[in-house]
Amino acid sequence: MGDDLGDEWWQHDDASVAEEEKEQEKIPTAESNTKTKPEKRKRIAEKTDGAKKKKKSGQAESRIPQKKETEDEKSSKPKRKRKKKKKTITDVLATSEPKPGCAADLQNLVTQYFSDKRSVIEQEELKMEDSCFVSCNDLTHSLSSYLKQICPKWAKIRKQHAEKSSVILLIVCSSALRTIELIKQLTTFKGDAKALKLFAKHIKIDEQVNLLQNNVTHIGVGTPGRISALIDNDGLNLQSLKYMVLDWNWRDQKLRRMVDIPEVKLDFMKMLESGILKGCKEGKIKVGLF
């Protein structure tokens, strides 16, 4: 029997055992491979999650300092201060008591205005002395009572006046409406004297020139612009002029005086230069501030 088997039986057994061992060795390696694959996937997933978290944390960190920078910039930037509104003449005068004008007010105004426009010698010629002025209104007078005070011999003066294109008394104010108001206030003072409105509103300069040249006028009431224009056009001369009264203390709705209005101020200075300052210096014209 043993001879019929051919190869030795123990050799077959050893070979089979070796094959089985090899197969058993292969099986755990396959299992280990199957086990290692998910482990690798887990590790890769963990790495990607960690990287994402790092990116997010990095982005968050990068954003935080930006916010801090902007906050720091805001804190470092100087805060804009609210500009205080400049007080106007209206605001100042609304909280202060009115003060009557005096000769020094007009003297200072004239010197300041011509300080950068005339030479030193010319400024001396334009300077107004105290002797040029009569007493100023202390805010207790009406126009008629004030004129009676500064011109007590009015009745005699007006009777002697017979020259055309000239007036004895010149009242200077800021507007046409104010001119009409002042003419109404003259009724108790003027008597039978003739007063003429001298302003540009609704009245042509040629008409006023004709009225002055063809009639004897005692009192002229008007604005600086029209008065200076009449002087320039030979409609009004200053030969008979004895008194010039400035409507100094009156204020408009914005609480501005005549000399506080820029365009009126310019006309006023031009009017003074047209011969009035010269007449004051020669003692022919007296100035009053009403």
Side-chain angles (χ1 to χ4, degrees):
M1 292 293 290
D3 295 331
D4 293 334
L5 293 170
D7 296 330
E8 286 82 358
W9 60 270
W10 61 85
Q11 289 179 355
H12 291 289
D13 291 337
D14 293 336
S16 63
V17 170
E19 288 176 0
E20 286 177 0
E21 286 177 356
K22 284 180 181 179
E23 287 177 0
Q24 286 177 358
E25 286 176 1
K26 287 178 183 178
I27 290 164
T29 54
E31 288 177 356
S32 64
N33 288 333
T34 54
K35 286 180 183 178
T36 53
K37 283 180 181 177
E39 284 177 1
K40 285 180 181 179
R41 287 177 185 172
K42 283 182 183 179
R43 287 175 187 173
I44 291 164
E46 286 175 358
K47 285 180 181 179
T48 54
D49 292 339
K52 286 180 181 178
K53 286 179 181 178
K54 283 181 181 179
K55 282 182 181 179
K56 287 180 180 178
S57 62
Q59 288 175 356
E61 286 174 1
S62 63
R63 285 175 187 170
I64 290 164
Q66 283 178 358
K67 286 182 180 178
K68 285 182 180 177
E69 284 174 6
T70 53
E71 287 174 3
D72 293 336
E73 285 173 4
K74 285 180 182 178
S75 61
S76 63
K77 284 180 181 178
K79 293 181 180 179
R80 289 182 180 179
K81 293 182 180 179
R82 291 182 179 178
K83 290 183 179 180
K84 292 182 179 179
K85 289 183 178 179
K86 290 182 179 180
K87 288 186 176 181
T88 60
I89 297 168
T90 308
D91 297 330
V92 173
L93 293 173
T95 56
S96 61
E97 294 181 0
K99 293 180 180 180
C102 61
D105 294 335
L106 182 56
Q107 288 170 330
N108 292 333
L109 181 71
V110 172
T111 54
Q112 286 174 9
Y113 180 80
F114 291 114
S115 61
D116 58 346
K117 298 175 178 65
R118 298 288 185 274
S119 64
V120 177
I121 297 169
E122 287 174 334
Q123 287 179 40
E124 284 296 323
E125 292 176 356
L126 296 169
K127 190 176 180 181
M128 299 182 75
E129 303 294 337
D130 293 338
S131 58
C132 298
F133 294 89
V134 293
S135 60
C136 299
N137 181 23
D138 57 0
L139 303 181
T140 60
H141 286 283
S142 65
L143 181 59
S144 290
S145 65
Y146 176 68
L147 293 175
K148 285 177 183 177
Q149 180 185 344
I150 65 170
C151 187
K153 297 180 180 180
W154 172 250
K156 184 180 179 181
I157 294 170
R158 79 166 186 264
K159 285 178 182 178
Q160 292 176 349
H161 177 64
E163 190 174 347
K164 296 176 181 179
S165 298
S166 184
V167 295
I168 308 166
L169 172 62
L170 191 60
I171 301 172
V172 185
C173 58
S174 59
S175 66
L177 288 173
R178 182 60 179 164
T179 300
I180 294 165
E181 288 177 10
L182 292 173
I183 287 174
K184 289 177 181 177
Q185 294 177 26
L186 284 171
T187 49
T188 57
F189 169 76
K190 68 175 185 176
D192 58 356
K194 186 175 180 180
L196 187 63
K197 295 178 285 188
L198 305 176
F199 55 77
K201 195 173 184 180
H202 307 308
I203 304 173
K204 293 180 180 179
I205 191 167
D206 295 335
E207 294 177 10
Q208 290 174 337
V209 170
N210 290 330
L211 287 170
L212 287 164
Q213 289 177 348
N214 298 321
N215 299 284
V216 175
T217 308
H218 303 86
I219 303 170
V221 186
T223 58
R226 179 46 63 93
I227 291 167
S228 60
L230 288 167
I231 294 169
D232 292 340
N233 291 323
D234 297 326
L236 179 67
N237 65 65
L238 306 174
Q239 292 177 2
S240 301
L241 184 63
K242 296 184 181 298
Y243 299 97
M244 183 181 73
V245 175
L246 305 177
D247 189 28
W248 189 270
N249 297 304
W250 184 81
R251 298 180 186 273
D252 61 9
Q253 291 180 347
K254 295 181 180 179
L255 299 179
R256 297 177 301 177
R257 301 172 302 172
M258 176 175 64
V259 292
D260 294 326
I261 304 167
E263 58 272 17
V264 177
K265 181 181 175 181
L266 288 173
D267 291 337
F268 176 70
M269 291 300 173
K270 185 181 177 183
M271 183 193 71
L272 292 180
E273 281 190 285
S274 61
I276 291 172
L277 287 175
K278 184 181 177 182
C280 291
K281 204 155 186 79
E282 292 172 357
K284 295 177 180 179
I285 302 170
K286 299 291 182 182
V287 181
L289 273 62
F290 172 65

